[in-house]
Amino acid sequence: MSDQRKSSFATVNPYSGQALAKFPVIEGEEVDSRLETAGRAFDAWRKRPIAERAAVVGRAADLMKERKEQLAQIITLEMGKLISEARGEVELAASILEYYAQHGPDFAAAEPLDVEEGEAYLVSEPLGVLLGVMPWNFPLYQVVRFAGPNLVLGNTVLVKHAGICPQSALALEELFRDAEAPEGVYTNLFVSHEEISRIIDSPVVRGASLTGSERAGAQVAERAGRNMKPSLLELGGSDVFIVLDREGLERTIGAAVAGRMANTGQSCVASKRFIVLEDVYDDFVDGMRREFQALRPGDPADEATTLGPLSSEQAASDLADQIRETVDQGAELVTGGHRIDRPGAFVEPTIITGVKPGMRAYAEELFGPAAVIYRVADEDEAVALANDSQYGLGGSVFCADVERGRRVAERVETGMVWVNHPTSTQPDLPFGGIKRSGYGRELSKLGMQEFVNRKLVRILPPDAKLRGIAG
């Protein structure tokens, strides 16, 4: 193995471009040893009372709140998130752990079934060791929404984090260890992409979850399917933001900017395609342009900064290429569209209009500070355009008439739709998509029903009449 591969996990500050730390990957026997430890840990962990498992997750939540500033600084250092947003991510992640610590035991309780004779009930049993392949854009939140419910349920987890946030990965592993999770219950893995397939193949591993790109998701799903193991995928998104009227337009514009620019636009559920009825279109575009042009780039660790860098130089370069090629194909550049002439992975806040089928920005996800705005004649055209996408993660509908908003929301083909608020997330609401945005649900009670054996127990008296057998 080359030295480059051995150092594939590295902290590179996207604001300065400075390489700060490298961490070697593990392979072969060392990976197998971690898998065996996780397997042994599962045998003991599943036998502990669920209240004890929930208490460990609850302690992890408390430690996360105590370490909020430390964790936020690591996130900002590694992937460039504005420090205020990094603190918000820590708070959200802690709230998810708290939620499952409090409600997880009830979610996993036996569920009685109504039968004519005897008893029948469903029990929720853990499957075993799970692999989580996690992304860089929310290095805490997206890990705990996988780990939290599964640890309470009794599964043990292996986490392969993104290569650009190794210090976030190590901080999380330390946090669960300090919360008194036994060795092997939560395990960080610095492994190569090639090693992931071998891990999924292992008989020790019983399921796999991935949040990330379509390509990586397809590879994990294919490997899990080959091994007859369940998988969960949360992939890309190109969320719509439908504007049906001008009432409360300033609030709508503010919501549009927040929905697009949170995390510098690097969110699967960021608002990306703005579909606006023609009688409000011009004012909406002017308002968005004004707000975008007011954003100021700077150090994401500085409270005054309103535009942070993208996560890496590659991410900034890729987005700039998508914008340039879309404009070359005939779209109109309203504002932005270029790299910012300063050090760091910065791209100007960008608005594109006149995008048509066949252009890159029509079909591809723009992962950064770039918005595409469409003009439509009515809500039928808005819904048709919204659904003309390979993605189906989230979306939002803005209008004064809530019933109209509900009607349109129910016609949008996504896993989640919010009315009068950009797509968001909270512990008690299910999160997930359809189409090429993936499958399965995380968070809420559903988050404990993905990697679980919903086992039927049927009890009849000894003299019960024998029934026909089918299967």
Side-chain angles (χ1 to χ4, degrees), residues 2 4 41 107 109 151 165 179 189 198 206 241 266 274 296-297 345 356-357 362 376 383 418 469:
S2 69
Q4 181 180 6
F107 292 159
L151 292 179
C165 6
L189 294 178
R198 198 175 70 82
R206 299 296 179 84
F241 186 108
Q266 299 168 114
F274 297 85
R296 294 290 175 261
K356 296 179 172 56
Y362 188 87
V376 294
V383 170
W418 291 56
I469 307 298

Side-chain angles (χ1 to χ4, degrees), residues 155 219 284 310 319 350 362 438:
N155 294 313
Q219 292 171 342
F284 181 85
L310 273 72
L319 179 62
T350 299
Y362 188 87

Side-chain angles (χ1 to χ4, degrees), residues 219-275:
Q219 292 171 342
V220 165
E222 186 275 333
R223 203 76 184 196
R226 183 187 301 180
N227 287 278
M228 302 297 179
K229 298 175 182 179
S231 60
L232 182 150
L233 303 180
E234 195 265 278
L235 309 178
S238 191
D239 281 19
V240 293
F241 186 108
I242 300 173
V243 181
L244 297 177
D245 60 36
R246 66 170 52 253
E247 189 164 337
L249 183 59
E250 286 304 310
R251 177 187 180 275
T252 299
I253 291 171
V257 174
R260 174 64 279 197
M261 294 304 300
N263 206 32
T264 319
Q266 299 168 114
S267 169
C268 296
V269 293
S271 303
K272 300 183 176 88
R273 296 182 296 142
F274 297 85
I275 300 174

Side-chain angles (χ1 to χ4, degrees), residues 67-83:
R67 300 174 186 181
K68 180 172 76 169
E69 193 61 28
Q70 171 194 346
L71 293 169
Q73 293 286 348
I74 293 172
I75 294 170
T76 295
L77 178 72
E78 291 197 307
M79 57 78 55
K81 193 188 301 284
L82 296 179
I83 188 63

